[in-house]
Amino acid sequence: MIPSEIIKKKRDGEELSTEELKFFIEGYLKGKVADYQVSAWCMAVYFKGMSPREIRDLVEIIGRSGKLLDLSDFDLPKVDKHSTGGVGDKTSITLVPLMASCGFLFPKLAGRGLGYTGGTIDKIESIPGFRTNLCLEDLKLALRRSGAIIAAQTEELAPADKKIYALRDVTATVDSIPLIVSSILGKKLAVGADAWVFDVKVGKGAFMKEMDKARELATFLISISKDLGKRVCAFITDMDQPLGNNVGNTIEVEEAIDTLKGKGPADLTELVLSLGSELSTLANKPLSREELYEKIVKGEALQKLADIIEAQGGDPRVLENYNLMPHAPYSFVIEADKAGFIESVDAEKIGLAVLSLGGGRKRKGKEIDRGVGIRLFKKRGDKVEKGEAIAEILYRSESSLAEALQFLKSAYSIGERCSIEGKLIYEKVL
Ligand code: URA
């Protein structure tokens, strides 16, 4: 088979056979298909889509592109969660220890930032020493020690996703339903928990801007997961504005830790408790939101995060001393140019501002700056006075600040009255 013929076939809107998809993706892993060919193919998929059969095949090819993590010797209910990508979304860093503190095994394979959205792996690596690139043996060891892991795709686990993901990040091919579904489910398949919950984001800062697209994505995730024999559910949740108040790698970890201390923002806390309660039900060990919150109040969820950090080589002292994580040296405060109510805080613009500051990648493999970010002091529905601080930019260079300001200035919209009804969880898809 010839890679360019496969690209051409997809470019022309034709369906690729299982063999063609296997040849192309496996060829990429073996170095027989080049980065630029996979980039072109991703763009063809972006425009022409894939049939349900192709998507299902791609999930299997990506999921089985390395080894499968065998969890059969763990005698705990096994759960997993994945978000379709958002801005300020530190849910996994909060939910994983919370569920592990309740006795669930949580093998979380996560990703780096994609486009203008952040990634759990980039964030958690703000913790000094924290290793996300674990071999299978170390993964299992860490799971035994803490009951949970937060790790990246590796050469052993879903390596095809690792490579394709990095390309999509920088080639404007993230927001494609077939590519998102195969990326997420490929990772889930490789680690093989039994109950999965999906957080499908919708809105300005999500890859799905419209509700019907979010429903389509949720439906694909659910139907293929069920085919794979999993107990699953999806929540469609708001990503018009960022989740929580902090956007940027280190400061999002800080916010996740605050949430495990019971001092987190209301929206993040609500989302974590809702996803967790649902996940516990799917795993046949139902816990209410109140029971989950008890684990936070008693400090058990925070202790579990300390265990996870230690098991993955990180420094758990960060839980009490945020200064151990990287921070940008300068800050710039944005003030409201008029009095009124915040009508919207455009999550995509906030994400692009953080990317401009160096918090995400403009090129494949580029080092990111974990210390930069944006703290939002005001969110949708809040009242502001003229000249009041609405956000703070943490930055390292004047040129990046200037670029970020371009996005940030138009991210906030202030109206005369509080007319916008915000909702966090729109619906549940089964
Ligand atoms: N998360 C993933 O792992 N992959 C995507 O494509 C989007 C979100």
Side-chain angles (χ1 to χ4, degrees), residues 82-85 111 114 161 165 168 174 179-180 183-184 187 207:
H82 214 93
S83 151
T84 59
L114 263 185
D161 183 54
Y165 195 95
R168 288 170 57 218
V174 175
L179 296 179
I180 295 175
S183 164
I184 292 179
K187 282 191 281 291
F207 298 127

Side-chain angles (χ1 to χ4, degrees), residues 387-409:
E388 195 180 348
I390 52 174
E392 179 185 27
I393 304 181
L394 309 173
Y395 69 100
R396 205 170 291 276
S397 75
E398 292 297 326
S399 60
S400 70
L401 172 66
E403 211 182 309
L405 274 172
Q406 294 300 323
F407 289 113
L408 211 79
K409 282 198 171 137

Side-chain angles (χ1 to χ4, degrees), residues 102-123:
C102 300
F104 294 92
L105 190 79
F106 207 139
K108 170 74 183 140
L109 208 57
R112 297 193 180 277
L114 263 185
Y116 56 83
T117 68
T120 299
I121 295 301
D122 287 334
K123 293 171 199 178

